[in-house]
Amino acid sequence: MSAPAIFVPAWAKINLTLSVLGKRGDGYHALASVMQTISLKDTLRIQVTDDDRITCAVDVPSLRGDDNLAIRAARLLRDEGYLTHGAALELRKEIPAQGGLGGGSSDAAAVLVALNRLCALGLSQTRLEELAARLGSDIPFFIHGGTALIEGRGELVTPLPDCEPLWLLIAHPPVSISTAAVFQSVTPAEYGNTHDTDTVVEAIRCGSQLPLERLSNTLEPLVMRNWPEVAETCERLLRAGAPIVRMSGSGPTLFAPFRTLDEAIQVYEAARGQNIDVRLCHTVARA
Ligand code: C5P
């Protein structure tokens, strides 16, 4: 019998809200955010092997090598003494890198969860979250997926009931932005509070419609000031008819939520007519 192998999807996320609350002693920023998995995904093929090699083939040349997050996740399981086999990973990227959509983070979480299952490692959700947090701040969220409240530096995850299903236009401004560069330029005057996040969490817990006007992102004005391509894409999406446009994470990706497919398609077609790099996606529930 050949060694077990599976395909697993690694869903992207958006931040429905993101509040940067202040700077912590460890240099990271304290956050409050509602994160949501969406239907844009990378795909991993994961095969357990009999040798002790961990390899990763990727369809994007810049991610080949030893330090993409998928391979680092498998190495961490081995370095911690859990994984005694080798693993051959194949990664098909569709989530844009450095986009604010958590692509690399989702790949890492998918590897942790899949190897835990394939090799029957018996790691609890809590232990998987701890390992994930060592690889990056927003990786623990992807151990759960769906809708969740994120706190701390991003590693404290409280799963929430799934939010109402929404169609989403996901637009990529023609610029790539490093998360570290964005966080470095936040000044205390720009720190936000938890009001929007609290209101959105409350609505989700009650099973109410999302208060779309309360979706917000502390980093958005700063990124739009420093990277005008983001502000311009946002303006063009609004002109195309999107009622609400928000930035995800540290950007530059923008999203516009819709309750009906008709509305979403109208704006999608108008946006494509304006040469915006846009995709029609939707929220993905935890299950
Ligand atoms: O944890 P991760 O490696 O994903 O973070 C990338 C960078 O983003 C960090 O080096 C840090 O500069 C910044 N960051 C931050 N506060 C957070 C998360 C990330 O300042 N809560």
Side-chain angles (χ1 to χ4, degrees):
M1 198 181 74
S2 62
I6 48 171
F7 279 109
V8 286
W11 305 109
K13 61 83 179 163
I14 54 171
N15 299 77
L16 292 171
T17 65
L18 174 60
S19 317
V20 179
L21 305 173
K23 193 148 187 193
R24 306 168 10 140
D26 60 5
Y28 282 86
H29 290 81
L31 308 177
S33 177
V34 177
M35 281 199 202
Q36 173 65 50
T37 38
I38 65 168
S39 60
L40 182 59
K41 66 170 180 8
D42 292 339
T43 304
L44 280 145
R45 182 180 188 277
I46 302 181
Q47 176 143 34
V48 177
T49 59
D50 286 334
D51 57 25
D52 64 352
R53 294 177 61 220
I54 293 178
T55 58
C56 184
V58 194
D59 65 348
V60 173
S62 61
L63 292 175
R64 288 179 195 144
D66 272 3
D67 70 342
N68 76 59
L69 276 163
I71 205 163
R72 284 171 52 201
R75 289 237 165 85
L76 181 60
L77 287 177
R78 195 180 51 194
D79 294 347
E80 287 294 307
Y82 297 121
L83 185 65
T84 51
H85 294 87
L89 313 176
E90 292 178 344
L91 173 57
R92 161 105 173 90
K93 291 294 296 180
E94 288 181 83
I95 307 172
Q98 295 207 318
L101 297 172
S105 299
S106 187
D107 298 341
V111 168
L112 293 176
V113 171
L115 284 175
N116 187 37
R117 204 171 85 213
L118 272 179
C119 301
L121 303 181
L123 301 174
S124 66
Q125 293 270 102
T126 310
R127 184 67 186 131
L128 286 172
E129 278 183 47
E130 283 165 10
L131 293 169
R134 283 164 52 184
L135 294 165
S137 302
D138 63 0
I139 302 180
F141 162 73
F142 291 102
I143 301 291
H144 298 272
T147 311
L149 169 65
I150 305 303
E151 294 169 291
R153 68 176 167 90
E155 86 288 17
L156 303 177
V157 183
T158 308
L160 296 170
D162 291 317
C163 83
E164 65 164 315
L166 290 168
W167 296 102
L168 298 165
L169 292 191
I170 302 290
H172 307 289
V175 62
S176 159
I177 301 181
S178 120
T179 302
V182 172
F183 275 107
Q184 267 162 25
S185 44
V186 187
T187 61
E190 285 161 309
Y191 293 154
N193 57 49
T194 62
H195 296 169
D196 288 338
T197 297
D198 292 344
T199 304
V200 168
V201 167
E202 180 65 18
I204 291 168
R205 286 206 163 113
C206 295
S208 315
Q209 285 203 325
L210 273 189
L212 295 179
E213 71 290 351
R214 300 298 293 270
L215 305 190
S216 66
N217 183 334
T218 304
L219 300 172
E220 197 178 289
L222 180 155
V223 169
M224 292 204 181
R225 233 177 17 250
N226 293 341
W227 287 273
E229 298 90 339
V230 183
E232 194 185 311
T233 304
C234 178
E235 267 165 38
R236 286 158 75 195
L237 264 178
L238 291 167
R239 254 186 277 134
I244 288 165
V245 180
R246 289 272 77 86
M247 190 178 80
S248 181
S250 56
T253 302
L254 301 168
F255 67 93
F258 298 89
R259 292 208 162 92
T260 69
L261 181 58
D262 276 352
E263 263 184 297
I265 283 179
Q266 244 177 34
V267 179
Y268 173 75
E269 283 171 357
R272 298 265 295 204
Q274 295 198 42
N275 285 330
I276 301 177
D277 176 3
V278 69
R279 290 165 214 232
L280 179 52
C281 300
H282 55 81
T283 53
V284 169
R286 181 165 303 117

